[in-house]
Amino acid sequence: QVQLVESGGGLVQAGGSLRLSCAASGRTFSIYTMAWFRQASGKEREFVAVISWNSGTYYADSVKGRFTISRDNAKNTVNLQMNSLKPEDTAVYYCAAPDRPWGRQGRTKDEYTYWGQGTQVTVSS
């Protein structure tokens, strides 16, 4: 059974940094694309960043140049380094994984089957 567990959220002032981690278990990690999404209160869940099985990355325009996604296949983790945080980055951040391996850099919710429980990120102004 695939499990995703996020950690690292918290409260930070605007301009600050946070590092989120997602620990995956239940299957071979290295052959799957992994992604981060976020959902602000009252809004739809939106794509943030994705890293493919061969470490190609893609970012939402709103976070490009500020966030960095990375993976550690030895530790079965995917990380999201968030710098220069803004109040509009406030949201619950979710780690996501698809059902099939060797996939493309999916950017829509429907392409992902497994989700973590989410971790809250709050950026104060």
Side-chain angles (χ1 to χ4, degrees):
Q1 182 178 358
V2 176
Q3 287 192 319
L4 304 174
V5 180
E6 301 98 335
S7 61
L11 173 64
V12 64
Q13 289 188 334
S17 298
L18 280 175
R19 183 178 177 84
L20 304 184
S21 291
C22 172
S25 62
R27 64 182 184 183
T28 302
F29 175 77
S30 62
I31 60 175
Y32 291 89
T33 290
M34 297 293 294
W36 287 94
F37 286 74
R38 67 186 181 186
Q39 187 167 15
S41 181
K43 295 188 176 182
E44 293 287 318
R45 191 170 299 188
E46 64 175 8
F47 167 77
V48 175
V50 60
I51 185 165
S52 63
W53 58 273
N54 57 353
S55 296
T57 60
Y58 188 85
Y59 298 91
D61 288 343
S62 59
V63 308
K64 201 172 295 183
R66 301 187 297 122
F67 290 12
T68 302
I69 189 171
S70 62
R71 65 190 301 154
D72 185 336
N73 290 334
K75 296 182 179 179
N76 290 356
T77 60
V78 58
N79 304 302
L80 186 68
Q81 178 66 42
M82 307 186 294
N83 298 329
S84 301
L85 282 161
K86 304 175 181 179
E88 50 264 45
D89 294 319
T90 295
V92 178
Y93 283 71
Y94 296 91
C95 175
D99 186 43
R100 297 183 177 183
W102 319 116
R104 72 182 200 95
Q105 297 170 347
R107 303 160 202 173
T108 64
K109 300 187 299 291
D110 292 344
E111 296 178 83
Y112 294 89
T113 302
Y114 303 102
W115 296 84
Q117 81 288 352
T119 186
Q120 176 70 47
V121 171
T122 303
V123 184
S124 63
S125 56

